Amino acid sequence: MTRKIVLYLIILLLKGTYSYEQTMSLDELIKAWGVKDTSQTRIAGEAIVNIYSFPTKEKFLLLVSEINQRKLNGRLRIRAYIYQFYGYRFLGIKNTISSKKYCLKLLKEAAILGDEQLLADMYIAYGGLCDPEEEIYYLLKAKEIHEKRNVSSEFNYANYEKLSFLSYEFMQDYESSARYSAHSISIYRTPDLNLHNYILLLDIAGDSYIKLNMPDSAFYFYQMIRQKIAYIKLLRSNYSPNLNNEFFEIWENIALGGIARSYILKKQYDTAYTILLQNLRSSIQYKEWADVSLVQSALAKIDYIKKDFRSAANRYSLARQLAMNGKREVLMSTALEGGIKAFAAIGRYDSAYFYQKEFLDLKTKFEARKYESKIKMAEAQVSYEGIQYMVIQTKNEIDRQKVWRNVILGAVFLLGVISVLLYNRNRLKYVLSQTQLEKRNQLAESEAKLARKNILFAQNQLTEVVNNIAEKNLLIKRLENRLAENEKIDTQELLRNFTIITGNDWLKFKDYFEKAFPNYWERLQQKLPKITQSDERLLALLKLQLGNKEIATATGISTESVRVSIHRLRKKVEAFYPGISLEEFIATI
C-alpha cells in the first residue's frame, strides 16, 4: 500500500482551528507544566499543541529565550524541555538539546524526581530519537505507566498510532499493528483534525488483518475508509481546500483494493476480480506503482486459482518488476512466492528456479532483520534496566548524602575542621571504589553479552542451514516430478545447483558450528586424530540429526554414497572404540 504519509502529529489547516492570537504566554505555560495529577499529560500536551499556532520560528525562539532566562528547575525544567523538544522538531530548527545524550540526561532527572507520568512523557520523547525497535520498547513502557496510573486513554491515541505504524512498517508484527491501530481508532478524539493519519490508521488495520487471514475485520476497516470519504464529500465546504479529488480517488481505490483482497480470502474470486481491475486502472492513472504491484499479485493469485497459469505468470512478473523498482521488499516477496508456482505450472522451470532463489534470499534477509530487531530490543531492555539501576543508586546516594550531611553538621560543633577533612577523605575513597566497581561490572557485562550474542548468532545460522536444506529437498522433489515429464532437462545439472556445504561455505559452517558447540573440533581431533575432512563433515551433519537424503543434498553426493560413507565411518569408530556405536560416539563429542 502507499506509505507516503509520515506518521507524526499533523495539524491540518482547517478553518478556524488555530489562530496566532491563541499562543500562550510563558506564565500560562509554566502554570500548565506545574500540574502534578493524572491530567498533567493532557494539559502539557495541549500546551505543546500551542506550538502549531506560532506564525514564525523567530517568535518561538523568543519564547525559548524567555524560558532559559527563568532558570527553571525540577519538573518545570523537564516539562520545558519536552515543549522545546517538539517545537524544535516541528519547526525544523537546529539545536543542541534534541540529541539522545542530552535527552537521556533529562530522562534520568525525571526518574529521580519519582513522577512516573512525567517519566512516561520523557520515554516517548527519548524513543523518538532511537531506532524503531527501541522506540517501540519505550512507547510500551510509557503505555504501562499510563495504564498503571489510570490515565484516560482518549489522550493517548497518538502513542497507539505510532506503535501501530512502527509494528507494521518496521517490525512486520501484524498482530501488534492490528491491535494498536484498532485501539487507536476506537479512542481517536478528533479524526477530522488529523484526517491523513486517521485514514492511514484504518488502512494499516485493514492490511494487518488481511495478512492475519481475517477478512471480515479487514473488510470492516476498509469500509470505514469509504464511509469517511463519502461523508467528507457530502460536507466538502467544512473541510480544507487542500483535500482535492486526487486525495479522495487514491484512498477510495486503496479501500476498494483492500475489500477485494478480503473477498479473495473469502474465495469470492469473481467479485474480487472485478473490483481489482477497477483498482488497477485508478492506480495506473495516479502512478501509484506500489499499489499496481499489489493489485497485479492479487489478480495473478485469482488467475492461478482459475488455472490461467500463463496470465498469472505474466502478472507476477510485472508485480515483481514494479516492486523491485520501488524497492518494496514485502510486495516483491509476494510476487516471487506466487511466481514460483505459476512459472512451474507452465513448464518454465528455469524461471521458477530463479524466482525460488530470489525468494529464499529475500526470506533470509527478512529473518536476519527480525534477528537484528530482537537483539536491538534486548539491548533497549538492557539500557532501560541500566537506567533503573542508576536511578536506584542515585536515590540511595542522595539518601546517604543527607545522612552524612546531618552527621557533619552535628560534628562541626565538636570537631570543626578535623571532621570536615575526615569526611572528604572517606568520601573520596568511596567514590573511587564505586567507580572501579562500576568499571569492572561494565566490562564483565559486556563480555557476557558478547558471548551470548555470538552463541545466538551461530545457533541461528545453523538453524538456517538446516531449514534451507529441508526447503531445497522439497524443491528437488518437485523438480524431479516435473523432470519425469520432460526428459530433455539434465537432471544431474539441476541437482548439482543445490550443493551448499562446499569450499568457503564449509569454512563458514565450521565457524558457526564451533560457536554453537564450543571446542567440538578439538575434541574430535583428540578422539580420532587421523580423521579426514569428509568424515568431519559427515559427523557434523549427523550431529545436527540430518537424514541420509538431507546429507546427500548438503554434500552434493547420492543417498547411496552417504549410506556407504556412514558405514565406513562406523567401522573406523568401532576400530578405535570397540563396543561403542557411532551414535554413542557422536553424543560424547
Side-chain angles (χ1 to χ4, degrees):
M1 306 301 289
T2 302
R3 297 287 181 264
K4 292 182 179 178
I5 304 170
V6 178
L7 194 69
Y8 67 95
L9 293 176
I10 299 175
I11 304 298
L12 298 180
L13 299 177
L14 303 180
K15 294 181 179 180
T17 304
Y18 294 106
S19 64
Y20 298 150
E21 290 73 26
Q22 289 177 302
T23 55
M24 299 171 66
S25 67
L26 179 55
D27 289 334
E28 290 172 326
L29 288 172
I30 290 176
K31 182 180 179 180
W33 297 337
V35 176
K36 297 181 180 180
D37 59 27
T38 56
S39 67
Q40 62 175 285
T41 296
R42 172 181 61 81
I43 294 173
E46 290 172 351
I48 291 173
V49 172
N50 171 67
I51 296 169
Y52 300 103
S53 62
F54 278 98
T56 62
K57 295 180 181 179
E58 288 72 20
K59 187 170 182 180
F60 173 75
L61 291 174
L62 182 61
L63 180 59
V64 170
S65 177
E66 291 181 36
I67 292 173
N68 294 334
Q69 290 174 9
R70 291 290 184 97
K71 298 187 183 303
L72 302 174
N73 292 310
R75 65 178 295 104
L76 293 180
R77 164 177 153 84
I78 295 169
R79 282 293 178 196
Y81 169 79
I82 295 173
Y83 179 84
Q84 294 175 72
F85 174 85
Y86 288 112
Y88 282 132
R89 300 192 81 187
F90 177 75
L91 296 171
I93 303 172
K94 292 184 178 180
N95 62 94
T96 58
I97 71 168
S98 294
S99 66
K100 283 186 70 174
K101 183 177 180 181
Y102 193 91
C103 189
L104 181 60
K105 176 184 174 183
L106 271 291
L107 190 153
K108 292 176 180 177
E109 289 185 17
I112 293 171
L113 287 174
D115 186 333
E116 286 190 319
Q117 201 163 327
L118 179 63
L119 179 61
D121 293 343
M122 277 301 302
Y123 281 152
I124 295 169
Y126 181 71
L129 299 172
C130 299
D131 291 334
E133 296 84 1
E134 289 183 89
E135 184 171 11
I136 289 175
Y137 187 85
Y138 284 104
L139 285 171
L140 289 174
K141 286 298 177 183
K143 171 178 166 291
E144 287 177 12
I145 292 174
H146 287 154
E147 290 176 349
K148 176 182 175 181
R149 290 177 58 85
N150 294 320
V151 177
S152 178
S153 60
E154 65 177 306
F155 302 111
N156 293 315
Y157 68 89
N159 296 336
Y160 285 101
E161 181 181 43
K162 204 165 190 180
L163 278 169
S164 67
F165 177 77
L166 292 171
S167 300
Y168 179 92
E169 193 72 16
F170 294 100
M171 303 297 292
Q172 295 178 9
D173 180 359
Y174 300 118
E175 288 187 7
S176 295
S177 63
R179 182 172 67 256
Y180 293 137
S181 58
H183 185 67
S184 182
I185 290 165
S186 69
I187 62 176
Y188 222 97
R189 294 182 64 200
T190 54
D192 289 347
L193 299 183
N194 294 281
L195 191 59
H196 291 79
N197 284 1
Y198 181 71
I199 292 180
L200 180 57
L201 267 176
L202 292 170
D203 182 27
I204 289 174
D207 198 49
S208 297
Y209 279 116
I210 283 177
K211 287 179 168 59
L212 294 173
N213 198 22
M214 299 174 66
D216 291 334
S217 296
F219 185 93
Y220 171 77
F221 285 105
Y222 280 117
Q223 193 62 28
M224 282 184 69
I225 295 178
R226 299 191 68 199
Q227 291 171 356
K228 190 64 181 177
I229 290 173
Y231 178 78
I232 295 171
K233 285 182 177 180
L234 185 64
L235 301 174
R236 186 71 174 274
S237 61
N238 295 336
Y239 291 86
S240 168
N242 294 329
L243 299 177
N244 54 31
N245 288 330
E246 182 176 345
F247 171 85
F248 295 122
E249 288 293 330
I250 289 174
W251 277 112
E252 173 74 19
N253 281 282
I254 287 174
L256 283 174
I259 289 172
R261 287 183 292 137
S262 300
Y263 280 131
I264 292 176
L265 294 178
K266 293 181 177 182
K267 299 183 179 180
Q268 299 180 22
Y269 302 122
D270 292 337
T271 303
Y273 207 87
T274 301
I275 297 174
L276 286 170
L277 289 176
Q278 178 184 344
N279 187 194
L280 180 63
R281 288 190 293 269
S282 176
S283 297
I284 292 174
Q285 177 186 350
Y286 291 108
K287 298 181 180 181
E288 296 291 327
W289 303 119
D291 281 330
V292 173
S293 174
L294 180 63
V295 173
Q296 289 286 20
S297 290
L299 288 168
K301 183 177 182 178
I302 297 176
D303 287 338
Y304 184 86
I305 290 171
K306 292 185 175 182
K307 301 188 183 304
D308 189 354
F309 302 125
R310 193 165 298 279
S311 175
N314 290 336
R315 290 191 185 277
Y316 278 128
S317 177
L318 180 58
R320 170 190 168 275
Q321 188 62 46
L322 290 170
M324 184 169 62
N325 292 343
K327 298 180 179 180
R328 305 301 293 269
E329 293 180 339
V330 174
L331 296 177
M332 189 171 176
S333 175
T334 301
L336 290 171
E337 187 175 16
I340 295 168
K341 296 185 293 184
F343 280 112
I346 60 175
R348 289 179 56 180
Y349 303 114
D350 54 342
S351 297
Y353 171 74
F354 176 77
Y355 271 52
Q356 175 76 5
K357 184 178 181 300
E358 279 197 349
F359 177 72
L360 291 176
D361 290 343
L362 200 55
K363 184 178 179 182
T364 301
K365 189 175 181 180
F366 287 157
E367 291 299 321
R369 283 182 187 168
K370 288 182 180 179
Y371 178 70
E372 290 174 3
S373 295
K374 289 179 180 178
I375 291 176
K376 288 182 178 180
M377 287 288 281
E379 289 174 346
Q381 183 175 359
V382 170
S383 175
Y384 169 80
E385 291 173 353
I387 293 172
Q388 296 300 106
Y389 176 77
M390 183 280 306
V391 169
I392 293 172
Q393 291 293 94
T394 303
K395 287 181 177 179
N396 291 338
E397 181 64 17
I398 291 172
D399 292 338
R400 283 194 294 268
Q401 287 179 358
K402 288 180 180 179
V403 172
W404 275 104
R405 182 189 61 189
N406 293 334
V407 170
I408 291 171
L409 288 174
V412 164
F413 296 100
L414 301 174
L415 301 174
V417 176
I418 296 175
S419 297
V420 173
L421 292 174
L422 288 174
Y423 169 74
N424 288 336
R425 181 184 176 188
N426 291 334
R427 175 67 182 152
L428 180 59
K429 287 183 177 179
Y430 173 78
V431 171
L432 288 174
S433 64
Q434 287 295 102
T435 302
Q436 293 172 353
L437 178 60
E438 183 179 356
K439 288 182 178 179
R440 288 197 296 270
N441 290 340
Q442 288 177 349
L443 179 61
E445 182 181 356
S446 298
E447 292 175 349
K449 181 179 177 182
L450 180 61
R452 290 194 300 271
K453 185 175 179 180
N454 287 337
I455 291 174
L456 283 172
F457 180 77
Q459 289 176 341
N460 184 66
Q461 293 298 324
L462 287 174
T463 302
E464 184 178 340
V465 169
V466 174
N467 290 340
N468 282 341
I469 291 172
E471 291 176 1
K472 291 178 188 284
N473 272 334
L474 180 60
L475 181 58
I476 290 172
K477 185 175 180 180
R478 292 176 179 171
L479 288 174
E480 288 177 342
N481 291 337
R482 296 294 184 185
L483 291 169
E485 301 172 5
N486 189 347
E487 297 180 353
K488 295 181 180 180
I489 297 177
D490 186 355
T491 305
Q492 295 300 320
E493 183 63 24
L494 282 172
L495 295 179
R496 281 191 213 102
N497 290 329
F498 295 94
T499 301
I500 64 170
I501 303 178
T502 59
N504 291 333
D505 289 341
W506 170 241
L507 294 177
K508 292 179 182 178
F509 177 84
K510 286 187 70 175
D511 183 52
Y512 296 147
F513 198 95
E514 176 65 14
K515 290 178 181 177
F517 300 94
N519 301 321
Y520 173 88
W521 301 113
E522 181 180 348
R523 294 195 299 272
L524 179 58
Q525 286 294 331
Q526 291 174 352
K527 291 180 177 290
L528 292 176
K530 296 182 180 181
I531 189 171
T532 67
Q533 187 182 84
S534 297
D535 288 341
E536 282 184 344
R537 188 178 306 178
L538 184 57
L539 281 169
L541 295 174
L542 288 171
K543 181 77 172 178
L544 294 175
Q545 298 182 352
L546 298 182
N548 288 2
K549 188 170 183 180
E550 292 169 323
I551 293 173
T553 302
T555 56
I557 61 177
S558 68
T559 306
E560 180 60 22
S561 297
V562 172
R563 189 188 65 77
V564 172
S565 297
I566 292 174
H567 178 74
R568 290 174 180 171
L569 182 59
R570 193 184 302 277
K571 293 295 184 182
K572 290 180 182 179
V573 171
E574 289 176 355
F576 273 84
Y577 301 96
I580 298 179
S581 67
L582 177 60
E583 290 75 17
E584 290 173 339
F585 174 77
I586 292 173
T588 63
I589 303 176

